[in-house]
Amino acid sequence: MPDVVLGVCGSVAAYRACDLARDLMRAGCTVRVCLTDAAQNFVTAAQFEALTGQPCLADTFEEPERGRMAHIDWARKADLVLIAPATANTLNKVANGIGDDMLTTLLLASTCPIVAAPAMNPAMYQHPETQSSLAKLTSRGVLFIEPQEGDVACGENGQGKLAANREIVEFVGTVLCRSKLLAGKTLLLTSGPTQEPVDSVRYLTNRSSGKMGVAMARAAKLMGAEVTMVAGPSQAIAPRDVTVVPVQTAKEMLEACRRHVASADWVIGLAAVADYRVAGAAQTKIRRTEDDLVLTLTPNPDIIATLASENLDKTVIAFAAEPGIDPEYIADKLKRKGVAAMAVNDISNPEIGFGSDENELTLYFAGGAVAKSGRRSKLACALWMLEQLAEKL
Ligand code: C5P
């Protein structure tokens, strides 16, 4: 049974740690909770002891077992330390090596993986000091579950909400049993939609959320790869340790990929690239008139097919959103694009279509093998797919 220390800091979201402790236990972990002083304004040690059946540490000099220094003892036993919610104060302290309470001393003494799920006011999250701590901790191997955008408790709107408990539990599970199958590999991903200008204010785009691309980037990082993601405009928040190259149009996406492809071993095309762009897009705003407006659309390059034909030494993998699955059509498309494999999802099912949190992939290989993921979260689909690719390519 994996041993997880759950460090709870003084954010309003501390109440969510009560459910989180139980969810981690349901997922098979032994959970021992450590509270900061500020956390005790929101939740209590008694609450966590009742929920977990384990002692809960709050005071630096507490020793549930006499003669055993708890911060060292717990750090030694832990398979993973999860800080959730992680506040700006605790993250800034840990980044600077400060150990002035039980949680921060325990973190200094820990050699196991550390995962942090920040939750704070959006301005505090964006503060240069916090951002530099996050960068420093990332470079030391701390894994982050990025906070979500939305309304936060203080009434503001922005990035700062604690990630969903389900996402945190899944992330912890993945870290605990991650394989390092992709260590030493570099992946180039395309992700999100493209936007094709009509004039200086309007554009054509599609419903891609970019979530599958972000899930693939996270899965690849967890499996030890280096990842560059050429991403069209999207709200999905990329993991901090992924190099993101933002682009708008299909042409920009192709150029960015060409700049980064040399260092890649695998190229995976997750982007929903616009198949057409507006020929001769207007440089200024097109004024409204009572007449019909006719736009001429001209085909965009097929990025993934172009990259496959220009880089025969690279392994190129495509995605395909299909309105129903026709194996013969897929086999032909695989050949046409010149890719090693193609992951197909059926967008006629709204539960796994654009923008949803789950997916269901059928992976077709150029050699004829076929594998099905079953319905899972996008992160689980990505992990499954990378394992399949590592095994079969
Ligand atoms: O032909 P279709 O759009 O269904 O192909 C999907 C696959 O091809 C995806 O991997 C997508 O990223 C890629 N693609 C591309 N450039 C395009 C169109 C699709 O790279 N212009």
Side-chain angles (χ1 to χ4, degrees), residues 190 269-275 300-304 318-320 322 333 337:
T190 68
L270 296 109
V273 184
D275 289 324
N300 267 329
D302 187 322
I303 297 171
I304 219 71
F319 265 69
E322 295 290 332
K333 188 163 172 175
K337 290 197 184 259

Side-chain angles (χ1 to χ4, degrees), residues 211-253:
K211 286 183 183 176
M212 193 62 221
V214 164
M216 188 62 72
R218 170 157 278 163
K221 284 301 300 182
L222 285 170
M223 290 170 73
E226 287 305 313
V227 180
T228 299
M229 186 164 79
V230 178
S234 139
Q235 296 290 317
I237 297 163
R240 340 184 25 89
D241 45 3
V242 164
T243 307
V244 179
V245 184
V247 294
Q248 189 192 4
T249 64
K251 277 170 109 179
E252 287 170 13
M253 188 171 270

Side-chain angles (χ1 to χ4, degrees), residues 100-347:
D100 65 350
D101 61 10
M102 184 55 100
L103 178 59
T104 49
T105 43
L106 190 150
L107 285 162
L108 274 176
S110 297
T111 53
C112 62
I114 297 173
V115 175
M120 64 194 76
N121 164 279
M124 291 171 82
Y125 187 68
Q126 291 307 335
H127 192 284
E129 212 57 67
T130 312
Q131 287 297 313
S132 105
S133 296
L134 296 174
K136 201 165 162 187
L137 291 168
T138 302
S139 72
R140 291 200 197 126
V142 175
L143 299 163
F144 285 93
I145 309 173
E146 280 70 29
Q148 301 304 298
E149 304 251 358
D151 293 330
V152 289
C154 50
E156 286 177 30
N157 185 283
Q159 190 184 2
K161 277 163 73 84
L162 181 66
N165 282 11
R166 199 177 77 134
E167 193 191 336
I168 300 174
V169 174
E170 187 181 359
F171 190 96
V172 165
T174 306
V175 174
L176 284 169
C177 56
R178 72 181 144 173
S179 69
K180 282 288 179 190
L181 273 177
L182 301 188
K185 277 209 188 316
T186 300
L187 267 58
L188 174 64
L189 311 180
T190 68
S191 170
T194 62
Q195 293 177 347
E196 309 296 332
V198 172
D199 63 14
S200 60
V201 293
R202 304 174 180 101
Y203 54 76
L204 300 179
T205 191
N206 58 64
R207 291 182 197 279
S208 167
S209 64
K211 286 183 183 176
M212 193 62 221
V214 164
M216 188 62 72
R218 170 157 278 163
K221 284 301 300 182
L222 285 170
M223 290 170 73
E226 287 305 313
V227 180
T228 299
M229 186 164 79
V230 178
S234 139
Q235 296 290 317
I237 297 163
R240 340 184 25 89
D241 45 3
V242 164
T243 307
V244 179
V245 184
V247 294
Q248 189 192 4
T249 64
K251 277 170 109 179
E252 287 170 13
M253 188 171 270
L254 177 58
E255 281 158 26
C257 286
R258 280 178 167 151
R259 282 198 306 276
H260 289 88
V261 73
S263 55
D265 299 294
W266 291 0
V267 181
I268 308 184
L270 296 109
V273 184
D275 289 324
Y276 297 90
R277 66 180 179 279
V278 178
Q283 296 301 311
T284 55
K285 185 178 172 187
I286 301 173
R287 297 254 180 236
R288 178 193 157 83
T289 69
E290 293 308 314
D291 300 330
D292 289 349
L293 174 67
V294 179
L295 298 174
T296 304
L297 301 180
T298 189
N300 267 329
D302 187 322
I303 297 171
I304 219 71
T306 307
L307 294 173
S309 70
E310 290 175 352
N311 301 275
L312 298 175
D313 55 327
K314 309 283 177 196
T315 301
V316 181
I317 300 121
F319 265 69
E322 295 290 332
I325 292 187
D326 172 353
E328 258 175 54
Y329 176 78
I330 305 290
D332 180 58
K333 188 163 172 175
L334 226 144
K335 223 179 266 166
R336 239 187 307 125
K337 290 197 184 259
V339 294
M342 183 174 276
V344 180
N345 62 315
D346 182 355
I347 49 165

Side-chain angles (χ1 to χ4, degrees), residues 35 37 40 56-63 70 101-102:
L35 303 177
D37 279 351
Q40 294 172 76
C56 172
L57 296 178
D59 177 356
T60 321
F61 294 99
E62 238 168 300
E63 281 184 354
D101 61 10
M102 184 55 100

